[in-house]
Amino acid sequence: MRKYVIMGVQGSGKGTQAQLLAKDLDLVHIGVGDIFRWNVRNHTKMGAQVKRTMATGELVSDELVESVVQDRLRQHDWNYGFVIDGFPRNGRQAEFFMESFDLDAVIHLELPDDEVRRRVLSRRVCPNCGMDYNLIGDRPEQEGRCDICGHELTTRSDDTPEALEARLRDYHEKTRPVLELFQRKEVVHDVDGRPPVDEVQNAIRKTLGLPAYVPADDR
Ligand code: AMP
């Protein structure tokens, strides 16, 4: 059983890296931001509750986030473990989490703020299937269209310069102390988030003592 958390500022590739790690190791990937975005896209009651908060780049209330994480983990479909990204994001969430789970490792993806701005403002997303793109390194085959479902791409509502600054501020003020808490427990692995996706994935696996990553094209 493996229990991992991936932390990092927005645009650091948390979601992408968590997905790659989860897929090969049969872990359940829990992306808290993805769960909220799914709810907004599908016009659920929760979606209506979080839509505005997310669009301004603010954090959703701890009560709601904790209940979402708890409900997801209560499904107990994670026979081999889980990898969670986007949580915990402040001291209270970290304490709530550590009361219930012994973590094996926290992967901290490091990315300088300037690179965050460059990446986030070029991010595009498919509002239909949720696929992520980036106009710098991961362009869709046909400009402005999703490779998977063909829908027109948009920007995430929280990828505006204003919301980005709010999220960066939150990250430095609230999320950094969480890292310090985990550092005291000696479970944090710092990984450079700047190299290409495959290289970052390999660095994560190396530091966790896992077999190297073989991209799908090379298998
Ligand atoms: P992310 O995709 O991780 O950047 O999350 C997108 C948005 O969802 C954040 O800007 C918050 O509004 C909300 N969110 C995701 N995870 C959390 C969390 N752990 N605590 C509070 N809000 C969160």
Side-chain angles (χ1 to χ4, degrees), residues 47-80:
Q49 223 177 321
V50 299
K51 191 173 175 181
R52 187 159 337 142
T53 312
M54 286 182 74
T56 55
E58 302 295 324
L59 291 181
V60 169
S61 77
D62 289 334
E63 290 77 14
L64 184 59
V65 173
E66 285 165 12
S67 81
V68 162
V69 172
Q70 206 160 36
D71 287 350
R72 182 63 193 83
L73 288 170
R74 272 206 197 115
Q75 291 178 24
H76 285 289
D77 54 345
W78 37 280
N79 299 330
Y80 298 101

Side-chain angles (χ1 to χ4, degrees), residues 8-11 14 31-34 36-37 50 53-62 65-66 69 85-90 93 123 156 158-159 163 167 170:
V9 70
Q10 52 281 357
K14 305 186 287 283
V32 178
D34 295 336
F36 288 137
R37 274 187 291 280
V50 299
T53 312
M54 286 182 74
T56 55
E58 302 295 324
L59 291 181
V60 169
S61 77
D62 289 334
V65 173
E66 285 165 12
V69 172
D85 85 74
F87 180 89
R89 252 164 148 120
N90 60 30
Q93 293 179 10
R123 180 152 64 181
R156 257 170 62 165
D158 55 348
D159 282 349
R167 284 189 290 159
D170 253 341

Side-chain angles (χ1 to χ4, degrees), residues 114-149:
D114 280 350
E115 178 63 11
V116 170
R117 291 189 184 95
R118 198 175 77 93
R119 281 191 189 183
V120 167
L121 298 177
S122 66
R123 180 152 64 181
R124 297 292 180 272
V125 66
C126 173
N128 184 44
C129 70
M131 186 73 189
D132 261 322
Y133 297 87
N134 193 293
L135 301 185
I136 307 168
D138 186 16
R139 304 179 73 89
E141 270 171 32
Q142 193 192 340
E143 201 183 318
R145 294 260 158 219
C146 178
D147 293 347
I148 310 290
C149 70

